[in-house]
Amino acid sequence: MLDQVAELIREVAHTIVLPRWKHLAEGEVSQKAPGDLVTVADQESEVALTKGLTALLPGSLVVGEESVAADPSVRDRLASEGAVWIVDPVDGTNNFAAGKTPFCVMVALVRDGEPQAAWILDVVGDHLTVAEAGSGAYRDGVRVKTRTDDPGAAALHGVIAAKYLPDDLRHQVRANAAGLGGFTAGKHCAGYEYPALATDEQQFAMFWRILPWDHVPGSLIVTEAGGTVRHLDSSPYRPTDRQRGLLVAPNDEIWETVHGTLFPDGPPVVPEG
């Protein structure tokens, strides 16, 4: 099924998503919320992926970003027994709508609440990163493993996606991040950030808003590559979680180094989202 899903994702990406990149017509882009765009490519990609995935696995359910936007109760399917697909039809929609990269198509398969497989396709680069629980992570067919050392805080570079952080926490994190080697706001595309961490292009990523379609695929890829994905209170991340805040690193030691640098007085109090 890994190959069948990969073929479906590529077909949808190349026939629905890519042809509209830099060619969106007037009226084909709208806002779901201030600054949160949706395009006709997102909508049509999700419809096609939903049809194809449920055909591959009859009886399975789908939790897609756009279906949840239309009906938030769809997200509750993640707590269902059996097979549930998580679909991000265009990850990095704001980049896509602006005619920029990166943007991706992402899918994850969850069974009884546990991630089983994940696929992230970099649409323009045509790079596919895949993971299967217990079998490792692969990028374009080559196994990827995260680094196993900790070079120290000053040598670590990564992402702090601070857009949705509360103001007081944002100021705290940015001030303490001076103890790290460097950070950016990221590429506004989780489908880019997770594989970049798995391949050591960056050594940490911190997120605040953790919607399942943005983070379940990448979190499985990173953990299967040997990395660490935890909430800011050190608890493990699960697809059904609504708790905010997530820190991702190549291994436990780097996770502790970054966490201790950003939160020297202990983890922040984090409400559910």
Side-chain angles (χ1 to χ4, degrees):
M1 185 173 290
L2 286 176
D3 291 342
Q4 291 174 298
V5 174
E7 290 173 8
L8 172 64
I9 291 171
R10 275 204 163 101
E11 178 183 359
V12 170
H14 293 162
T15 61
I16 294 176
V17 179
L18 193 56
R20 284 195 166 93
W21 185 46
K22 300 184 180 181
H23 296 288
L24 288 166
E26 185 177 353
E28 292 186 336
V29 183
S30 58
Q31 291 194 77
K32 294 183 288 188
D36 190 5
L37 301 182
V38 61
T39 74
V40 65
D42 295 77
Q43 295 163 337
E44 292 184 3
S45 172
E46 185 165 317
V47 169
L49 287 168
T50 297
K51 180 179 179 181
L53 294 169
T54 52
L56 286 172
L57 197 57
S60 59
L61 303 175
V62 176
V63 174
E65 179 177 5
E66 307 313 327
S67 61
V68 173
D71 178 3
S73 69
V74 169
R75 185 171 173 176
D76 296 337
R77 295 174 183 172
L78 285 172
S80 302
E81 294 182 355
V84 181
W85 299 98
I86 300 174
V87 173
D88 193 335
V90 179
D91 179 56
T93 296
N94 285 21
N95 294 338
F96 175 79
K100 301 188 298 184
T101 60
F103 58 91
C104 302
V105 177
M106 304 200 296
V107 172
L109 176 62
V110 174
R111 287 186 184 272
D112 301 327
E114 295 294 333
Q116 298 298 304
W119 300 257
I120 296 179
L121 177 67
D122 172 350
V123 177
V124 174
D126 197 37
H127 296 297
L128 181 68
T129 309
V130 177
E132 184 176 19
S135 299
Y138 296 81
R139 182 170 175 83
D140 297 331
V142 178
R143 187 160 191 174
V144 293
K145 294 185 178 181
T146 58
R147 65 187 298 164
T148 57
D149 65 319
D150 178 3
L156 302 175
H157 296 76
V159 167
I160 298 175
K163 177 179 178 180
Y164 297 103
L165 281 170
D167 289 343
D168 57 342
L169 188 56
R170 182 185 303 113
H171 296 321
Q172 174 191 341
V173 165
R174 284 179 171 169
N176 291 335
L180 298 168
F183 72 95
T184 70
K187 303 282 190 179
H188 310 292
C189 176
Y192 171 86
E193 308 299 353
Y194 280 97
L197 197 146
T199 57
D200 200 38
E201 184 177 336
Q202 55 197 23
Q203 291 81 51
F204 65 87
M206 177 186 159
F207 306 97
W208 184 247
R209 190 175 73 162
I210 52 169
L211 299 168
W213 41 87
D214 287 330
H215 296 283
V216 175
S219 66
L220 182 63
I221 285 168
V222 167
T223 55
E224 282 297 317
T228 302
V229 182
R230 296 187 210 152
H231 289 294
L232 302 184
D233 64 358
S234 297
S235 61
Y237 170 61
R238 295 177 59 82
T240 53
D241 288 350
R242 293 178 183 262
Q243 179 180 341
R244 296 177 181 177
L246 204 62
L247 180 61
V248 186
N251 56 58
D252 288 345
E253 291 75 18
I254 290 179
W255 194 97
E256 294 290 350
T257 295
V258 175
H259 190 271
T261 302
L262 296 178
F263 307 108
D265 299 323
V269 176
V270 178
E272 287 193 351

